[in-house]
Amino acid sequence: MRKFLIASNNPHKVEELNRILNPLGIGAVTPKEYGVDLGNVEETGKTFRENAEIKARSAFKLTGIPSIADDSGLMVDALDGRPGVYSARYAGENASDKDRYSKILSEMKDVPQDKRTARFVSSICCIIDENTIIRVEGYAEGKIGYKPKGNDGFGYDPIFITDSGKTFAELSPKEKDNISHRGNALRMLRKELLSYLKEK
Ligand code: IMP
């Protein structure tokens, strides 16, 4: 099985990627499993796409094997797109998920229902070799609630209301995968990889 490096030690992301890659004859390995340390790559990009590429390039430079990185976050229209690329650090370095979503709820306490639109973005960059780079981006549209709801998921899930009226945190992992930004990006990645492998 071909090995692709995943520029993340997050087991949740690796598992998701393996579900997509294994049927294509590709196995995801973490930096740890591959015996390298990517260090703390500075995410200096202004967009998710730039940050995903910074991380993928750094992994590819270090290992020389095909490398995949992703960057994701939440963009709220009433907050001019914040927290955006700062989603993971929105309430400071040592803050919790609850601190972060509570900050958004308090910033939006006076925003009316019809102005609470938001989207999750997941940008994935896959560098196969110097001349072959696949970039995909998936989105999930929704609205920010007035209070948190649900116990599943992570991050901003409890305040992100989908078309069904339920928050991401009230959906099962499978239901979330079907409509999530990351699920959409991974389905696009699979399609692109399939056509790349067919051409080879
Ligand atoms: P990163 O892509 O691992 O840097 O994560 C960025 C941040 O965006 C996470 O720490 C979460 O706060 C947020 N985020 C990304 N995807 C999701 C999601 O599916 N649900 C909730 N929060 C998310």
Side-chain angles (χ1 to χ4, degrees), residues 5 9 37 59 84 90-91 95 105 121 133 145 160 162-163 169 181 195 200:
L5 188 92
N9 281 312
D37 182 0
Y90 197 48
L105 290 180
V121 182
I133 302 185
F160 187 80
T162 64
D163 278 349
H181 48 310
S195 61
K200 284 225 85 189

Side-chain angles (χ1 to χ4, degrees), residues 3 16-17 22-23 34 36 40 62 76 85 87 91 94-95 98 101 125 138 165 168 182 193:
K3 295 269 177 237
E16 270 186 340
L17 272 159
N22 290 352
Y34 198 71
V36 291
N40 219 351
L62 196 70
V76 180
V85 290
S87 292
N94 296 314
K98 190 171 176 207
Y101 70 63
C125 179
F168 262 180
R182 200 167 297 104
L193 280 170

Side-chain angles (χ1 to χ4, degrees), residues 8 10 12-13 43 48 55 70-74 83-89 97 100 120-123 153-158 160 168 176 180-182:
S8 164
N10 178 337
H12 178 71
K13 281 188 187 172
E43 297 180 20
F48 298 110
K55 290 187 266 186
D70 82 315
D71 198 47
S72 58
L74 177 68
V85 290
Y86 302 106
S87 292
R89 304 156 265 172
D97 279 345
R100 283 184 279 274
F120 273 116
V121 182
S122 167
S123 206
F154 71 103
Y156 298 97
D157 282 349
F160 187 80
F168 262 180
K176 183 181 166 187
S180 81
H181 48 310
R182 200 167 297 104

Side-chain angles (χ1 to χ4, degrees), residues 61-82:
K61 202 171 152 196
L62 196 70
T63 63
I65 67 165
S67 299
I68 298 181
D70 82 315
D71 198 47
S72 58
L74 177 68
M75 300 184 78
V76 180
D77 293 325
L79 302 177
D80 298 323
R82 291 196 313 276

Side-chain angles (χ1 to χ4, degrees), residues 109-153:
K109 65 180 186 330
D110 298 323
V111 177
Q113 183 77 32
D114 62 329
K115 298 247 158 42
R116 299 181 75 86
T117 47
R119 71 206 45 79
F120 273 116
V121 182
S122 167
S123 206
I124 298 178
C125 179
C126 172
I127 302 186
I128 296 178
D129 58 45
E130 295 289 353
N131 304 312
T132 320
I133 302 185
I134 298 172
R135 299 179 187 87
V136 292
E137 200 156 274
Y139 307 93
E141 300 286 339
K143 280 191 167 180
I144 301 299
Y146 286 93
K147 53 180 189 216
K149 267 186 172 174
N151 301 311
D152 273 335

